[in-house]
Amino acid sequence: VEVVDALQISAAVLTNPYFSRVVSSAADEISRGARIHDALQKGGVFDPLFLSMIRIAEEASMMPETFGKLAGLYRTESINALRKATAILEPGLTLIVGLVIAVMVLTVVLPMFRMYGTILG
């Protein structure tokens, strides 16, 4: 897939309108002869590491390999971020579930004790 086609497809499927405009604009600039790095940098939304690797890949004519390495890098970063978020949320969710269960138990048990107190009382 050519870079311009890939960027146009990406712009079409992005749900964020700002990112969609930036990617579409970059595709237009690249189709007019701009370098990929320069076109993507103008939007100001891409990671500097990503842009640096694209610039180096353009100079070395290693775009497919570089995009493969970038995909692996960002896949690993997203998995690590998801693990961290899960580790942070898990204790809080456990506490909330415990509180909900405690409230449910109290709403059932307290009336039973009151009824026993009334019967024995």
Side-chain angles (χ1 to χ4, degrees):
V1 178
E2 292 184 17
V3 174
V4 174
D5 293 336
L7 288 173
Q8 289 172 343
I9 292 168
S10 298
V13 298
L14 284 170
T15 56
N16 185 318
Y18 179 73
F19 283 112
S20 181
R21 280 192 305 272
V22 168
V23 171
S24 180
S25 172
D28 292 340
E29 287 186 36
I30 294 168
S31 67
R32 284 185 254 135
R35 295 179 58 179
I36 299 169
H37 168 264
D38 294 332
L40 293 174
Q41 189 174 22
K42 285 184 182 177
V45 296
F46 293 101
D47 183 31
L49 173 66
F50 175 80
L51 294 171
S52 296
M53 289 189 71
I54 296 298
R55 181 177 44 83
I56 293 167
E58 281 183 294
E59 292 171 2
S61 298
M62 297 181 62
M63 293 297 286
E65 297 89 353
T66 302
F67 278 121
K69 290 191 186 283
L70 282 169
L73 172 73
Y74 286 115
R75 183 179 308 115
T76 303
E77 280 189 16
S78 66
I79 289 170
N80 288 339
L82 186 60
R83 284 184 183 151
K84 287 178 185 176
T86 303
I88 290 170
L89 290 175
E90 190 173 336
L93 291 175
T94 303
L95 183 63
I96 291 171
V97 169
L99 289 173
V100 168
I101 291 172
V103 167
M104 290 174 64
V105 167
L106 287 176
T107 58
V108 171
V109 171
L110 284 179
M112 287 174 40
F113 282 139
R114 285 189 190 127
M115 187 170 36
Y116 291 142
T118 305
I119 292 172
L120 296 176

